[in-house]
Amino acid sequence: KSPRMPCNVLVQAKMAARRAGCAVQRTLSQCSAASPVRRDRPRCCSGPLFLLAVHRYMKDPGVGLHFPQAVASSEWLYDATLSDGHCRLRATLHPGLNALVEGNRLRCGCELRNVTFCPGAEEAHPGHLVLDLELNEEAGAAAGLAAFSGVDVEALPWFGSDPDGPPKVAPLRARRCCYLPLWNIQDYCGELWRARPPSPPADSDSEETVRDLQPVCLRELRRSFFSRSRRRQSHSQRPLTVRVLRKSRLLHFGKTDRACECPYQAVLEVADSSDRAAVVLWNSLCLDWYRGVEPGTVLSIHSYRVKESYGSRSGSAREQDIEISLNSRNPSAELAVVPESAVLPQWNLPSVPFHFLSREELPSCPQGHTCDFIGLVTFAGRPERLRVRGQGEEQLKQYRWLQLEDGTGGQPVAVKLFATSQPEEQAGIHPLSVLVCTSVQLMKTSSVHYLTSTRYTQVYCTGQHQRRPYRRLPPVRRFIQWLKTVDEDAVARRAVIGGFFSFPPLAASMDQYLQERSGDPGLVSAAELQREAGRLLYRERRCFAIQGTVVSVTHSDCDNTVSAAPGCDPADEQLSWSSSSAPLSPCSSLGCPWSPRNSGSVRLGGSGRRAQKRLFVGERSRSELPRKRLVLPPPSPRWSGLHTDADADSGVGFSLWEATMEFLEKDDGDEEGEEEDGVGASCGAAPPTASPGREWAGPWLGRARAARETLPRRYSHARREVQALALGLQPETLQRSLPDSKLDTFSTAAGYSGHYTVTLRDLSRSLVVQAVFLPSCPGDWHCPPLPQAHSNSWLAVLAHGGFSPGSPPPAPCEYECGGVGCCHGQ
């Protein structure tokens, strides 16, 4: 017999033993072995399964064949990777379960029970379907981290996969080329997006081709297109050699009723010696070229199509213009990157333009002015999502607030940064880094001004300034000279990351608020507030204004952690994982954002409060689980220190002087700490149970204490990767997940002195709202000073959003009350 037989027998024995203990194998193998009549019958896996990954994609026209009862329920589908510790399984979640994902209740690390599977019966969609499941909410969100501690997740076999290799990571129930990011649609996601442009074929010499063919200029191309012969000239054979000046963020134009596998578009603003134009990348060309092309790149373009620009067709442009359309077919466009050494002088290609402004120059600029800005990041806010209505539909856009200092103007500049064409660079922005933002727009209100990103905004952080053409500009050199004089220790002490940040400040009066509101509802009733709060999704931020009566005001003087109920550990607080039988209600606050980690909170009336206490007691045992992390694939240099549980931050490795070295001229041919506090620190007491608010038997909205991410944290340079993940949006894979309590290992910012909890009852006495109020204090560095002085009375503090800058803040005991008074909450 063959000598390989003993090895095969051993492998088969191991596989049989693994199947015997594998819940997925026992459940789904019965489906494959059943008769054709019973093969499609749903099967229930009662054993614990853990969610390892969840991915999102858009439906296509054929989704009605799989989900005829849920065609109009949602435009998204989610594929989940499940495991019982023995093997992995990819399955599609039924659209009826989408709300669990969109509210961040069903996230990586969850323990699932009684999962009902329906096996895939079609060859085109072989993946299984999850019809129903039960969340083991008592186990908490970190159950998967504890269960897979020390397990190499990537080494687990795939159920039902080809022995020759793992299954293709692609959407299971729709013909889409790749997955979308979990929380926005403006970024790219997945390995299909090439980091470098495709190399030219081995038998072609792109440089010689560029030298032999005389390129056509944009002015001549425009003139010939708008002439009488433009129909014959729409497809030009002459090459086009241009320099990329600006690059737009990615546009996903997919529709559920359109069968487009790669619905992406990107715009490159290009120029040659004669004129400017827009080059539009369509569909699969975005996968190959979008990431590898940046401002300053020289492109040689063949087989393109000339069209009238979108602005000309829609009437938004003042003059007629053209656009260069590039697609993978009809005709198949050919692109090549021309190295700088091959750029001929007679082409006279323009350089990338810059227009830097300083902080002191911004007030004199008009509203909507576009400029570039360089500054030192002193505050980086948490990522949030904003519901935007446009082109007849709603979408959630991701953004975060930054504060930059450049040594002029006295105050930092606030930057509202939405998605750009550089999601990796944007995720790496942290305090104490030198940041360059290009093509940002100036926004002005009645009292303040700030900058916001545009379609063409680019960001360059510390470590990315080498060989950038802006290094020699006078405004940049002046900033570098100021940066050399900055006291590093003083800047490090006031560097803040995360936490609630409201900007611009809300109006001090209701009339002014109703006049200045943009996109937010006006004065709402209790029923409208409940309905709108029920629509809030994970990390979505909205503002509501209600009129009510102050029932009670309490102050939480928390030094390092969030408030906790008496007798419980703050590290174990998991309000989103509730064993209460009462329904979950989304958490909203008056003028405060949606709770970032927790998509729902228990109604604190009747049995809900008792169930919440039992939940805290049950969570205590899990705080003693070992902190050993998953065995991960080889990490990239950027995430090399991601899973280090260091308890101290010595500040080693941070130097503003080293940051300035990137802006120095090179001779290599270039032409151009402190100890963290423990998790179980003591903190202020929760609102008293005997207060008038606790005697309320009706519906509640909000939470009695601030969420972890609501509190500003002191920046830790030594643990910046861990801190960024702890404050960021929920990741798509278990390997990138962290326990919620990880955020408690970072101390709160020095300017944070506690927060208030205001309990309001609406005038119709049908709803009680608990709102967390973080007043702006004169010593709080990351919050701008209030524009107006006031009397520091309780109503004045609520109306202005903080204490008066002209006088010291009063003691918290002066505001704690249980009385009744009328006020407007925003």
Side-chain angles (χ1 to χ4, degrees):
K1 296 184 180 180
S2 173
R4 300 177 59 184
M5 181 62 67
C7 181
N8 293 338
V9 172
L10 180 62
V11 171
Q12 293 178 2
K14 289 183 177 181
M15 294 179 60
R18 177 173 291 175
R19 284 194 298 267
C22 181
V24 175
Q25 290 277 359
R26 291 195 307 268
T27 303
L28 299 182
S29 296
Q30 299 174 4
C31 299
S32 57
S35 61
V37 179
R38 303 178 57 187
R39 187 171 298 173
D40 296 338
R41 182 179 178 181
R43 298 282 177 169
C44 181
C45 179
S46 59
L49 299 179
F50 296 92
L51 183 62
L52 302 184
V54 58
H55 299 284
R56 181 177 68 144
Y57 55 99
M58 181 171 282
K59 296 178 179 178
D60 64 1
V63 72
L65 301 177
H66 310 291
F67 312 106
Q69 304 298 329
V71 175
S73 60
S74 174
E75 59 181 348
W76 310 112
L77 291 176
Y78 295 91
D79 288 345
T81 302
L82 307 175
S83 176
D84 59 354
H86 295 85
C87 68
R88 290 178 289 172
L89 169 71
R90 296 183 67 231
T92 303
L93 300 179
H94 190 275
L97 304 174
N98 285 7
L100 297 176
V101 180
E102 295 167 354
N104 199 36
R105 290 183 58 192
L106 183 60
R107 53 176 173 168
C108 295
C110 292
E111 180 180 331
L112 311 177
R113 293 186 179 272
N114 296 328
V115 181
T116 303
F117 290 98
C118 181
E122 302 179 27
E123 296 183 359
H125 304 285
H128 292 77
L129 174 66
V130 176
L131 298 178
D132 196 9
L133 55 85
E134 292 182 8
L135 277 173
N136 186 7
E137 298 175 333
E138 294 183 355
L145 294 175
F148 286 84
S149 176
V151 177
D152 189 356
V153 177
E154 298 297 329
L156 294 177
W158 290 95
F159 172 78
S161 64
D162 189 350
D164 297 335
K168 181 181 178 181
V169 181
L172 296 177
R173 301 280 169 171
R175 295 184 180 275
R176 304 296 185 186
C177 63
C178 59
Y179 288 110
L180 292 168
L182 197 56
W183 306 116
N184 71 76
I185 60 173
Q186 289 83 32
D187 295 336
Y188 48 80
C189 178
E191 298 180 355
L192 290 180
W193 296 84
R194 303 173 61 110
R196 298 179 180 274
S199 301
D203 56 348
S204 65
D205 193 339
S206 59
E207 184 172 338
E208 291 296 329
T209 302
V210 171
R211 293 181 183 274
D212 292 342
L213 294 178
Q214 180 65 28
V216 62
C217 66
L218 291 174
R219 181 179 301 173
E220 178 183 349
L221 203 62
R222 177 181 288 103
R223 183 172 57 251
S224 61
F225 177 79
F226 287 111
S227 64
R228 295 180 180 179
S229 59
R230 74 178 190 179
R231 292 182 180 272
R232 296 189 300 271
Q233 298 288 338
S234 61
H235 172 38
S236 177
Q237 299 294 336
R238 297 177 62 184
L240 186 65
T241 304
V242 292
R243 185 185 298 275
V244 179
L245 302 184
R246 297 198 299 177
K247 173 184 174 182
S248 74
R249 61 171 171 256
L250 196 62
L251 173 64
H252 179 271
F253 59 88
K255 302 290 183 182
T256 58
D257 57 349
R258 297 180 183 178
C260 182
E261 293 189 15
C262 194
Y264 289 100
Q265 181 206 69
V267 179
L268 306 175
E269 186 177 300
V270 302
D272 60 8
S273 59
S274 64
D275 210 342
R276 293 190 179 190
V279 171
V280 184
L281 301 177
W282 291 96
N283 304 330
S284 60
L285 279 185
C286 294
L287 299 177
D288 296 333
W289 288 92
Y290 181 73
R291 292 187 61 186
V293 175
E294 62 179 9
T297 303
V298 179
L299 294 177
S300 177
I301 307 174
H302 299 255
S303 302
Y304 52 88
R305 186 176 296 276
V306 183
K307 296 182 179 180
E308 187 175 4
S309 67
Y310 176 78
S312 300
R313 299 194 306 267
S314 61
S316 59
R318 296 181 180 179
E319 299 179 357
Q320 284 186 326
D321 204 352
I322 62 172
E323 66 182 25
I324 313 300
S325 181
L326 306 180
N327 213 324
S328 58
R329 56 187 177 86
N330 298 327
S332 178
E334 300 178 9
L335 289 85
V337 175
V338 182
E340 288 294 334
S341 59
V343 176
L344 300 180
Q346 57 265 31
W347 292 346
N348 196 22
L349 296 179
S351 58
V352 179
F354 294 98
H355 180 51
F356 282 93
L357 292 180
S358 63
R359 168 66 173 80
E360 62 182 0
E361 295 174 324
L362 292 178
S364 60
C365 297
Q367 160 76 10
H369 182 72
T370 303
C371 65
D372 308 319
F373 194 85
I374 181 173
L376 177 65
V377 181
T378 57
F379 167 71
R382 62 184 179 185
E384 296 176 344
R385 300 199 296 166
L386 184 67
R387 192 181 298 269
V388 178
R389 295 176 176 85
Q391 299 180 354
E393 57 185 19
E394 291 184 345
Q395 59 175 302
L396 290 170
K397 291 189 175 182
Q398 180 181 331
Y399 73 97
R400 66 187 301 196
W401 281 101
L402 305 173
Q403 282 188 342
L404 280 66
E405 295 182 4
D406 66 348
T408 67
Q411 295 293 332
V413 174
V415 180
K416 191 175 186 180
L417 190 62
F418 287 90
T420 65
S421 61
Q422 308 153 285
E424 293 90 357
E425 289 80 356
Q426 190 168 341
I429 297 176
H430 55 78
L432 307 183
S433 59
V434 177
L435 182 66
V436 170
C437 300
T438 65
S439 299
V440 288
Q441 191 175 38
L442 177 63
M443 307 297 293
K444 287 188 172 183
T445 65
S446 58
S447 57
V448 297
H449 60 268
Y450 62 95
L451 299 174
T452 184
S453 57
T454 63
R455 184 183 185 185
Y456 295 98
T457 294
Q458 298 284 118
V459 292
Y460 305 100
C461 200
T462 298
Q464 303 163 358
H465 301 299
Q466 298 92 342
R467 300 183 180 181
R468 298 294 176 185
Y470 53 72
R471 294 185 308 157
R472 295 181 175 180
L473 299 179
V476 177
R477 290 185 177 272
R478 287 195 296 268
F479 169 78
I480 296 303
Q481 292 300 322
W482 167 80
L483 191 64
K484 293 178 180 179
T485 65
V486 171
D487 186 351
E488 295 183 4
D489 294 335
V491 174
R493 283 193 300 267
R494 57 188 177 89
V496 179
I497 187 170
F500 170 73
F501 185 78
S502 179
F503 197 85
L506 293 177
S509 65
M510 179 61 68
D511 294 337
Q512 185 180 0
Y513 168 77
L514 295 177
Q515 293 176 0
E516 296 180 355
R517 64 186 176 93
S518 57
D520 294 319
L523 191 64
V524 298
S525 63
E528 292 173 333
L529 180 61
Q530 286 182 288
R531 182 179 66 252
E532 293 299 323
R535 298 181 58 216
L536 291 176
L537 301 179
Y538 172 61
R539 285 274 181 107
E540 180 183 356
R541 177 167 179 169
R542 295 187 67 187
C543 267
F544 302 103
I546 67 169
Q547 193 173 17
T549 304
V550 177
V551 176
S552 65
V553 178
T554 58
H555 181 266
S556 298
D557 188 9
C558 301
D559 217 6
N560 294 289
T561 56
V562 298
S563 300
C568 73
D569 190 342
D572 300 330
E573 182 183 9
Q574 300 282 351
L575 287 184
S576 63
W577 308 106
S578 167
S579 59
S580 171
S581 58
L584 293 175
S585 175
C587 169
S588 175
S589 58
L590 305 182
C592 296
W594 169 241
S595 174
R597 284 284 184 194
N598 304 312
S599 63
S601 63
V602 182
R603 295 180 179 177
L604 303 181
S607 60
R609 177 61 179 171
R610 294 190 296 271
Q612 190 181 26
K613 287 184 178 180
R614 291 195 298 270
L615 171 64
F616 289 158
V617 174
E619 290 282 347
R620 182 177 300 278
S621 60
R622 289 195 304 278
S623 64
E624 301 174 359
L625 292 174
R627 297 298 183 184
K628 189 176 180 182
R629 292 305 317 277
L630 301 175
V631 177
L632 302 176
S636 62
R638 177 185 165 196
W639 301 104
S640 58
L642 178 61
H643 300 285
T644 302
D645 285 341
D647 293 328
D649 177 17
S650 60
V652 178
F654 160 67
S655 174
L656 291 179
W657 177 264
E658 294 180 1
T660 63
M661 294 299 101
E662 300 182 62
F663 295 87
L664 298 182
E665 301 299 332
K666 305 292 184 180
D667 296 331
D668 54 359
D670 181 21
E671 298 179 356
E672 319 267 308
E674 75 196 47
E675 185 175 351
E676 302 289 351
D677 296 299
V679 174
S682 61
C683 47
T689 56
S691 66
R694 289 297 177 183
E695 297 173 358
W696 176 259
W700 281 73
L701 196 62
R703 59 184 302 151
R705 57 190 67 88
R708 287 180 170 93
E709 295 80 4
T710 304
L711 307 183
R713 303 285 171 171
R714 180 176 298 177
Y715 172 65
S716 173
H717 187 76
R719 301 175 61 198
R720 56 190 178 276
E721 289 88 0
V722 178
Q723 195 173 45
L725 274 185
L727 286 166
L729 296 173
Q730 188 67 34
E732 300 172 346
T733 60
L734 183 65
Q735 291 92 324
R736 298 285 305 277
S737 301
L738 291 175
D740 289 346
S741 59
K742 181 67 67 176
L743 193 56
D744 293 332
T745 62
F746 299 96
S747 59
T748 54
Y752 171 73
S753 58
H755 62 274
Y756 294 86
T757 300
V758 184
T759 303
L760 296 171
R761 184 173 57 218
D762 76 304
L763 298 183
S764 63
R765 295 178 176 269
S766 60
L767 179 68
V768 167
V769 179
Q770 281 190 321
V772 175
F773 176 50
L774 282 79
S776 177
C777 301
D780 196 353
W781 293 299
H782 83 286
C783 287
L786 298 179
Q788 300 176 359
H790 56 81
S791 61
N792 262 345
S793 64
W794 176 238
L795 289 181
V797 171
L798 278 179
H800 289 82
F803 301 110
S804 177
S807 58
C813 60
E814 300 182 26
Y815 290 152
E816 290 185 340
C817 65
V820 178
C822 293
C823 74
H824 297 284
Q826 298 181 14

